[in-house]
Amino acid sequence: MNGATGWHGHIMPTLRLALPVMLARAGALVLIAVDVAMTGRAGARELAHYGLGSAPQVPLMLIGIGLLLGIVIVTAFADGGGRSAECGMVWRVGLLHALGYGVLLAAACQAGEWFLLQAGQPADLAAGGGRVIAMFGWGMPGMLLFIATVFFLEGIQRPLPGVVAMIVGNLCNAALNWLLIFGHWGFDAMGAEGAALATSLVRWLLFAFVAGYVVLRVDRERYGLVHPSGGFRSVARRVRRLGYPMALGHGLEASAFSTMTLLAGLLGAAQVASFTIAMNAVALVFMLALGFSTAAGVRVANHVGRGDGVGVRLAGWVAAGLAVVLLGAVSIGFASAPVWLARLFTTDVGVLGLASSTFLVAALVLVPDGLQAVLLGALRGLSDVWVGTLVLFVAFWVVMVPLGYWMAVRGGGGAPRLMVAVGVGALVAATLLALRFRWRARRAAAEAPGPQI
C-alpha cells in the first residue's frame, strides 16, 4: 500500500496491528491492576507498600523496554524493505541485550529500601516497599526477554501471540495472587510482597510462551532464524542507536510519574493509595494508546523502507486520530463512574472518597496522555528519537513535577491536584510532539525516500 490510497486506506491496516498490540500491552498492565485490586483487599497499608514498591521498579523496567524498542523499528524497516531474512538476527540481538539489561535491573531492585529512605519515605513504608521492589526484581530478566520477543513479532506484524500470552499470564497471576497475598492452601500470607512475587513468576512464563511460538510457528528460512542474515555487531549498533534515546525518554517519563507517587507518599498512606489506584487505571488505558503508538511506528517505518513519503504522513496521523476517538470514549466513562471505578480497587472508606475525586480528574488526562504516546511512536518510525526525548523532559520534569509539588504538597491539594499536574504535563507533550511530527512528515513527503536507520 502507498500513500496514494488516501487516509481511509490506512484505517483497517492500523487497526489490525493496533488492536492486538493494545490488548497485549493492556494485559501487561492488567497484571499490575489485578495486583493493586487484590492487594487493596489486604488493607491500605499493604496497598501503600505496593504503590511505593512499584514507583521505582516501573521506571527501571521501562528504561529496559526503551533500550529494546529499536527491535520493532529495525525489524519493521527490514521486513517492509524486502529484507525479511535480516529479522532473525534482530531477534537474536534483542534477546542478548534483554538478558543483560534484565540482570542489571534485577540487581538494582535489591536496593529498593535504601532508595525509598533516600527519597524521604517513612521507615515503615520504605521497608515494606523495599521488599516489594526486591520481589519485582526477580522477574526483570523474564519480562525483558518477553518484550524483546514480542517486539520482534510485532515488527513482522504478528502481534497476536503476545495477546494470547497475556491472557494466560493474567489467569495465572490472579491464581498466584490468591495463594500468595492471602495465604490460601497452606501458603504464608505475604500481602504486597506476595503480589510482586506472583507477577515475577508470571513474567518468566510469558517469555517461555512467546519464545515457543517463534521456534515452532515462525518461518525459519524466510525470517533468518536458522541462517541469520546481517552481521551481529551491525544490527546491535542499529538497535542501540535507536534504543538509547528511547530508554532515556522512557526513564525521564516513568521516573517523573514515579516522583509523583513519591510526592503522594509524603502526604500519608491514604494519599499514596488513592493516587496509586487512579494512576494504575490511567496507565491501563494508556496501554490502548501504546497499541496505536506501535502501529504508527511500524507502519511509518514500513513506508520509510518503501520510500513512500505520503504514506509516512498518513500512517502517523490516522493512528493519532483513531487513538483520540477511542480515548475520548473512555474518558467519558471515567467521568461518569468515578466511585464505581474506585470501588474496583478498594473498600477502605478512608481511601474510597479520595480515590473517586482523583478518578474524576483522571478523565481529563487520558486523551492528551495517549496522544503524546502515539505521536512519539510515529516519530520513532522516522528514526526521530532525540527531539521526543527532549519534549518528555520539558513536559514532565520542567512542568509536571514542579506543578504537582506546588499544588499537591505545598498547596495541600493532595492526590487530585497531583492528577491535574499529570494532565498539564501530558498536554504540553502532546502539543510539542504534534508540531514536530507535522514538520517531519511534511519533509518526508517532499523528500522521499525517508531517512535511513
Side-chain angles (χ1 to χ4, degrees):
M1 180 183 298
N2 57 42
T5 59
W7 64 268
H8 56 279
H10 287 261
I11 292 177
M12 289 311 298
T14 299
L15 289 174
R16 279 196 296 269
L17 181 56
L19 290 175
V21 172
M22 70 175 63
L23 288 174
R25 298 291 189 275
L29 251 291
V30 168
L31 286 175
I32 304 299
V34 169
D35 284 354
V36 171
M38 295 183 75
T39 304
R41 297 301 189 271
R45 179 66 58 176
E46 291 297 324
L47 184 54
H49 289 167
Y50 188 90
L52 289 174
S54 297
Q57 75 91 24
V58 168
L60 289 174
M61 183 177 69
L62 290 178
I63 288 170
I65 292 173
L67 288 166
L68 301 174
L69 264 169
I71 296 169
V72 68
I73 300 302
V74 176
T75 302
F77 188 85
D79 197 34
R83 303 186 307 279
S84 300
E86 296 179 8
C87 297
M89 181 58 76
V90 181
W91 184 45
R92 292 169 186 243
V93 167
L95 290 179
L96 184 60
H97 284 65
L99 181 60
Y101 298 149
V103 170
L104 289 175
L105 295 180
C109 284
Q110 305 313 305
E113 181 178 356
W114 173 86
F115 171 80
L116 292 175
L117 288 171
Q118 299 307 305
Q121 300 302 311
D124 59 334
L125 290 179
R131 291 192 295 271
V132 171
I133 298 169
M135 283 299 181
F136 272 129
W138 301 117
M140 283 289 190
M143 186 63 180
L144 294 185
L145 288 166
F146 166 70
I147 290 294
T149 305
V150 167
F151 281 167
F152 163 73
L153 290 169
E154 290 171 358
I156 61 174
Q157 302 197 42
R158 292 197 190 183
L160 191 58
V163 178
V164 177
M166 290 310 311
I167 292 172
V168 174
N170 273 285
L171 293 173
C172 293
N173 185 60
L176 286 171
N177 276 348
W178 186 75
L179 295 174
L180 299 176
I181 293 175
F182 305 110
H184 293 295
W185 286 6
F187 285 87
D188 292 334
M190 300 173 66
E193 192 177 350
L197 175 58
T199 296
S200 287
L201 293 172
V202 166
R203 286 170 172 173
W204 282 101
L205 174 65
L206 294 173
F207 168 59
F209 187 98
V210 293
Y213 175 86
V214 172
V215 172
L216 297 175
R217 301 293 296 174
V218 173
D219 189 322
R220 300 183 182 185
E221 292 294 334
R222 177 181 175 183
Y223 291 106
L225 299 180
V226 177
H227 304 292
S229 174
F232 182 93
R233 292 184 179 179
S234 174
V235 172
R237 281 195 299 270
R238 283 186 285 163
V239 169
R240 289 196 298 268
R241 190 182 308 134
L242 288 170
Y244 288 149
M246 288 190 278
L248 179 59
H250 273 206
L252 288 171
E253 182 177 3
S255 59
F257 280 95
S258 292
T259 299
M260 301 294 274
T261 300
L262 295 175
L263 291 178
L266 298 177
L267 301 172
Q271 293 284 353
V272 72
S274 300
F275 188 72
T276 297
I277 287 170
M279 277 306 303
N280 270 275
V282 170
L284 182 58
V285 176
F286 185 76
M287 295 301 104
L288 305 181
L290 285 187
F292 287 110
S293 178
T294 299
V298 169
R299 289 184 49 73
V300 166
N302 283 163
H303 286 290
V304 169
R306 296 169 190 158
D308 178 11
V310 175
V312 166
R313 176 172 57 85
L314 291 175
W317 287 124
V318 166
L322 291 171
V324 168
V325 171
L326 177 60
L327 295 174
V330 178
S331 296
I332 294 172
F334 266 51
S336 302
V339 177
W340 180 81
L341 288 169
R343 287 187 185 278
L344 293 177
F345 292 91
T346 185
T347 56
D348 189 293
V349 176
V351 175
L352 188 59
L354 189 57
S356 301
S357 300
T358 310
F359 264 115
L360 196 58
V361 180
L364 303 175
V365 174
L366 301 181
V367 171
D369 191 36
L371 182 58
Q372 61 92 11
V374 177
L375 292 168
L376 199 59
L379 286 169
R380 286 167 180 162
L382 283 160
S383 302
D384 185 356
V385 288
W386 283 108
V387 172
T389 299
L390 178 60
V391 167
L392 295 181
F393 173 76
V394 171
F396 296 123
W397 277 105
V398 177
V399 176
M400 182 183 75
V401 171
L403 184 62
Y405 177 78
W406 180 70
M407 290 194 303
V409 180
R410 293 292 298 273
R417 288 292 188 268
L418 283 175
M419 191 61 70
V420 170
V422 170
V424 173
L427 183 60
V428 170
T431 301
L432 295 176
L433 291 170
L435 293 172
R436 177 66 177 179
F437 180 71
R438 182 183 179 215
W439 179 73
R440 284 303 310 269
R442 283 184 173 182
R443 197 175 87 173
E447 301 177 2
Q452 298 297 309
I453 298 178

